[in-house]
């Protein structure tokens, strides 16, 4: 029998996309307390079934597939840009395929505006109207409103028209940031992405005879099977050592190992791999948040997925990657190693000068690279003392000169000086522990 919480989640799942949901409405419809309804709605939000928007409420949205994760819904856009819905509420659940910044002439703007896109534009009513007619939603920047007939058109077309107080550049940056964050999440492979589902899994029931284990073993060549009760809960695990020498007619519940290790659908693949290797397990039952049986995961599945992952191109770069990838190795007049880089906008703080964090990254990377010439193997920076750092403007060319003061079998000390046009602008001391491969 499903719990009240599960019943509410199933009810929300069965609602059509775009339906408005309220705590009071759910409590009344399913005869549960408002507290129970609220907790279930929050869980539905975590599962990507609904989205809550200020001044609009909670609506049922399309659950996104993993491969579609970089496509945001208009409901998510509102939350990202602290927006306000002016019209077209019915279309908030839809996903956008791309966004267009309307900082050009109207004709040029319309060439790029197509159905399913989002036009980011200021106080230009004719652009708002034309975009809606093309099947695109509109995000008005600068906190402006639009005319009543445009709002009516948005309602009619079920395309959101949203207003935000931010400017176009900030809005585009915020949306890009959200997409990038989702892409990082997408790279984290979960058990959910690779497990063998319930329908294709082999499992036993507590009242099955031991002979059934032998039948499965002949078919699959596996030796471990989960034991599932009538409520689809994992109650045990049966392995070859549990059944060896046992009567074929003996019930599985008499030989099974109770309270077996399970893994949740939302567990990361790396974590599942660690558990399976550490415990020497070839197969593990996969359960959902309510410990209901969802399927199985095998060691071969995990290894195959990890190998696939190594072959895939990585999405996006961290600031560290951007900063250190631009370091070019040269030598000065005294044949001393120097690393050069130009200060790009990503490396600056809000004042337009080199940020302290980027300075640290450059110093650590230059020092580490020089140490690799002396000692092959890995190193861990144990201590970094920055003696001083002067402001360095955007587009300046930096010369970073690391000098090894001491290098032993396990430890190294490096002095790093940073120059801008031959003027010393920073000095630091790096201490690292060396780890032999």
């Amino acid at each position: 029998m499903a719990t009240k919480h599960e019943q509410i989640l199933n009810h929300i799942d069965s609602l059509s996309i775009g339906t408005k949901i309220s705590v009071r409405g759910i409590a009344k419809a399913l005869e549960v307390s408002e507290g129970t309804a609220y907790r279930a709605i929050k869980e539905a939000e975590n599962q990507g079934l609904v989205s809550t928007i200020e001044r609009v409420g909670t609506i049922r949205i399309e659950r996104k597939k993993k491969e579609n994760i970089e496509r945001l819904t208009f409901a998510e856009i509102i939350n990202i840009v602290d927006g306000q819905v002016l019209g077209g509420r019915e279309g908030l659940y839809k996903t956008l395929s791309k966004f267009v910044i309307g900082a050009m002439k109207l004709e040029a703007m319309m060439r790029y505006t197509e159905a399913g896109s989002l036009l980011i534009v200021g106080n230009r009513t004719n652009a708002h109207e034309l975009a809606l007619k093309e099947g695109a939603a509109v995000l008005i920047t600068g906190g402006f409103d639009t005319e009543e007939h445009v709002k009516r058109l948005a309602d009619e077309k079920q395309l959101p028209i949203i207003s935000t107080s931010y400017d176009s550049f900030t809005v585009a940056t915020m949306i890009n940031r959200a997409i990038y964050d989702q892409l990082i999440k997408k790279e984290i492979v979960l058990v959910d992405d690779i497990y063998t589902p319930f329908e294709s899994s082999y499992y036993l029931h507590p009242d099955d005879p031991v002979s059934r284990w032998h039948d499965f073993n002949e078919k699959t060549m596996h030796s471990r099977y989960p034991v599932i009760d009538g409520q689809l809960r994992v109650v045990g695990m049966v392995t070859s050592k549990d059944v060896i020498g046992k009567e074929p007619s003996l019930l599985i519940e008499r030989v099974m190992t109770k309270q077996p290790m399970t893994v949740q659908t939302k567990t990361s693949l790396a974590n599942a791999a660690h558990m399976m290797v550490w415990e020497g397990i070839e197969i593990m039952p996969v359960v959902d948040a309510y410990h209901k049986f969802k399927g199985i995961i095998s060691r071969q599945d995990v290894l195959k997925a990890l190998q696939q992952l190594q072959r895939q191109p990585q999405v996006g770069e961290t600031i560290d990657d951007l900063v250190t990838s631009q370091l070019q190795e040269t030598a000065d007049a005294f044949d001393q190693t120097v690393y050069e880089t130009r200060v790009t906008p990503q490396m600056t703080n809000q004042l337009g000068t080199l940020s302290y964090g980027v300075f640290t990254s450059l110093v650590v990377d230059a020092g580490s690279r020089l140490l690799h010439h002396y000692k092959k193997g890995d190193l861990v920076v144990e201590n970094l003392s920055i003696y001083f750092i002067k402001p360095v403007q955007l587009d300046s060319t930096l010369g970073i000169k690391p000098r090894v003061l001491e290098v032993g079998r396990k430890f190294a000390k490096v002095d790093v000086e940073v120059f801008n046009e031959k003027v010393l602008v920073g000095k630091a001391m790096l201490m690292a522990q060396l780890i032999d491969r």
Side-chain angles (χ1 to χ4, degrees):
M1 182 68 184
T3 63
K4 283 181 179 175
H5 189 81
E6 289 167 338
Q7 284 171 8
I8 299 168
L9 282 171
N10 292 337
H11 171 71
I12 292 170
D13 201 4
S14 70
L15 295 172
S16 57
I17 307 294
T19 308
K20 260 189 111 171
I21 293 163
S22 72
V23 170
R24 193 170 294 166
I26 293 283
K28 200 171 170 187
L30 296 178
E31 296 178 349
V32 294
S33 72
E34 290 193 1
T36 305
Y38 174 78
R39 283 190 292 277
I41 289 171
K42 277 286 156 211
E43 176 58 31
E45 201 166 347
N46 293 340
Q47 290 183 17
L49 288 171
V50 302
S51 182
T52 303
I53 304 154
E54 218 178 316
R55 297 186 290 274
V56 172
T58 303
I59 59 166
R60 172 79 170 88
I61 58 167
E62 219 166 3
R63 197 203 291 256
K64 281 186 287 184
K65 292 186 178 76
K66 185 90 169 175
E67 62 271 15
N68 223 5
I69 200 160
E70 64 273 27
R71 290 181 68 164
L72 298 168
T73 61
F74 294 117
E76 287 171 305
I77 295 285
I78 292 170
N79 290 334
I80 292 162
V81 302
D82 301 326
Q84 186 181 343
V85 186
L86 304 177
R89 272 189 174 78
E90 300 292 310
L92 287 173
Y93 67 87
K94 294 175 182 170
T95 54
L96 70 145
S97 52
K98 66 170 189 174
F99 62 88
V100 180
I101 299 177
M104 50 190 108
K105 285 187 176 167
L106 200 57
E107 308 82 66
M109 205 190 297
M110 286 309 128
R111 258 203 313 274
Y112 297 101
T113 309
E114 57 191 50
S117 58
L118 174 71
L119 177 67
I120 300 170
V121 69
N123 190 20
R124 296 168 71 177
T125 311
N126 50 357
H128 306 164
E129 191 174 351
L130 279 172
L132 289 167
K133 283 177 178 168
E134 289 291 332
V138 179
L139 176 55
I140 306 169
T141 56
F144 292 109
D145 202 343
T146 190
E147 290 179 19
E148 286 307 313
H149 74 274
V150 176
K151 293 179 190 175
R152 282 197 297 277
L153 181 64
D155 287 339
E156 190 186 304
K157 296 258 188 188
Q158 295 193 349
L159 287 167
I161 186 157
I162 304 158
S163 174
T164 176
S165 54
Y166 297 110
D167 62 84
S168 299
F169 177 76
T170 307
V171 161
T173 308
M174 288 161 99
I175 295 172
N176 261 333
R177 179 73 250 174
I179 291 172
Y180 182 66
D181 286 349
Q182 293 203 345
L183 285 169
I184 292 170
K185 280 185 200 164
K186 181 185 175 182
E187 280 200 348
I188 301 166
V189 180
L190 304 176
V191 166
D192 203 15
D193 301 318
I194 65 157
Y195 77 92
T196 303
F198 173 81
E199 304 78 40
S200 312
S201 304
Y202 286 87
Y203 53 89
L204 295 160
H205 294 292
D207 52 3
D208 281 338
V210 164
S211 59
R212 193 155 169 76
W213 180 93
H214 291 288
D215 296 341
F216 280 178
N217 180 241
E218 272 179 43
K219 246 192 228 177
T220 66
M221 302 307 288
H222 287 148
S223 59
R224 292 175 64 90
Y225 300 98
V227 184
I228 314 301
D229 69 7
Q231 267 78 50
L232 288 185
R233 289 195 170 85
V234 180
V235 290
M237 200 81 190
V238 180
T239 68
S240 50
K241 74 171 190 289
D242 296 323
V243 298
I244 210 154
K246 299 289 193 300
E247 281 294 316
S249 58
L250 199 63
L251 294 182
I252 287 292
E253 67 180 338
R254 303 286 299 277
V255 298
M256 70 184 188
T257 304
K258 291 178 181 169
Q259 296 174 323
M261 285 181 76
T262 59
V263 65
Q264 288 210 351
T265 48
K266 297 297 172 204
T267 303
S268 75
L269 183 64
N271 204 344
H274 178 77
M275 281 164 77
M276 292 177 90
V277 171
W278 190 256
E279 300 290 336
I281 298 171
E282 83 183 68
I283 274 179
M284 268 177 104
V286 178
V287 296
D288 64 11
Y290 313 108
H291 298 283
K292 290 282 182 75
F293 181 61
K294 299 288 286 180
I296 58 162
I297 187 171
S298 71
R299 207 180 317 174
Q300 289 99 309
D301 294 337
V302 170
L303 294 172
K304 208 185 291 173
L306 288 171
Q307 283 165 355
Q308 256 334 95
L309 201 61
Q310 284 168 350
R311 292 194 204 108
Q312 280 186 2
Q314 298 303 299
V315 179
E317 291 179 293
T318 64
I319 288 291
D320 257 9
D321 295 335
L322 285 167
V323 167
T324 56
S325 65
Q326 292 172 22
L327 278 183
Q328 300 293 324
E329 188 176 330
T330 59
D332 63 7
F334 307 102
D335 214 28
Q336 188 186 334
T337 304
V338 180
Y339 296 95
E340 287 193 344
T341 188
R342 203 168 61 81
V343 178
T344 60
Q346 294 102 319
M347 299 184 187
T348 58
N349 56 23
Q350 66 273 32
L351 304 170
T353 60
L354 183 71
S355 90
Y356 190 85
V358 170
F359 177 83
T360 307
S361 286
L362 290 169
V363 164
V364 169
D365 197 60
S368 305
R369 285 191 198 191
L370 187 68
L371 281 173
H372 276 300
H373 292 316
Y374 285 79
K375 277 278 244 210
K376 292 285 173 251
D378 293 323
L379 59 92
V380 178
V381 175
E382 292 225 320
N383 190 10
L384 177 69
S385 306
I386 294 176
Y387 300 125
F388 73 89
I389 171 174
K390 290 181 181 173
V392 179
Q393 295 306 310
L394 182 64
D395 287 332
S396 305
T397 300
L398 294 178
I400 302 155
K401 290 187 185 177
R403 190 162 48 95
V404 175
L405 301 178
E406 202 179 310
V407 63
R409 203 165 63 84
K410 291 281 180 197
F411 213 71
K413 199 186 279 186
V414 185
D415 175 69
V416 186
E417 291 181 330
V418 181
F419 293 87
N420 176 20
E421 307 294 335
K422 297 185 181 165
V423 176
L424 189 65
V425 290
K427 191 171 171 63
M429 172 83 75
L430 185 82
M431 296 226 213
Q433 186 186 333
L434 304 168
I435 301 164
D436 288 327
R437 284 207 182 100

